[in-house]
Amino acid sequence: MLRPPSGIALDDGVKTAAATAGAATLNKLSGKITTEALTTAAGATYTLTVTNSTVAAADIVLASFTNGTNSAGSPHIQRIAPGAGSIVFTLRNSDAAAALNGTLVVSFVVIKN
C-alpha cells in the first residue's frame, strides 16, 4: 500500500465545496472547490479565498485546476497564498481575447510545515 509522505494528510469526509462571490469554506487538508460561473475577461484575474481552519501561514499548498463548465479562455493559477486560517488562490485568464464562461474546479493539498 502506498502511503503519503509525512506531512501530507489526506483526511476523510466531505472534501468539496462551492464558491460564492469568490469565497468558500472547506476545513480540510485536501479538497476541491468549484467556483461560481466565471466571466473573467481576457488578461484579468479572479481571486478565490478559501476559509480553512487547518491551514497555517507557513504551510505549503499545492494546487491544480480543471474546467468545470468553462470552455473558453486560458485560465491558470497565478498565485497561491496560505495564511492563518485561509488560502487565497489567484487565477488568471491569459487568453488574448476570450473571457472565461463557466466554472473551474480547484484541487488542493496542504503540506504542514
Side-chain angles (χ1 to χ4, degrees):
M1 174 193 301
L2 294 176
R3 296 177 190 240
S6 63
I8 297 178
L10 303 175
D11 42 9
D12 294 330
V14 175
K15 296 194 290 184
T16 61
T20 302
T25 299
L26 185 59
N27 295 308
K28 297 288 185 176
L29 291 172
S30 62
K32 291 183 178 187
I33 308 291
T34 301
T35 68
E36 65 270 26
L38 302 177
T39 57
T40 308
T45 58
Y46 163 75
T47 301
L48 172 62
T49 301
V50 178
T51 300
N52 186 327
S53 63
T54 67
V55 177
D59 291 345
I60 298 165
V61 178
L62 305 176
S64 65
F65 77 92
T66 58
N67 284 316
T69 61
N70 183 66
S71 63
S74 298
H76 69 270
I77 296 174
Q78 181 174 329
R79 183 171 186 241
I80 304 168
S86 69
I87 310 166
V88 178
F89 298 96
T90 304
L91 304 173
R92 180 175 177 80
N93 178 5
S94 59
D95 197 272
L100 301 181
N101 66 357
T103 63
L104 300 175
V105 179
V106 178
S107 301
F108 70 92
V109 64
V110 176
I111 300 172
K112 298 302 288 178
N113 197 4

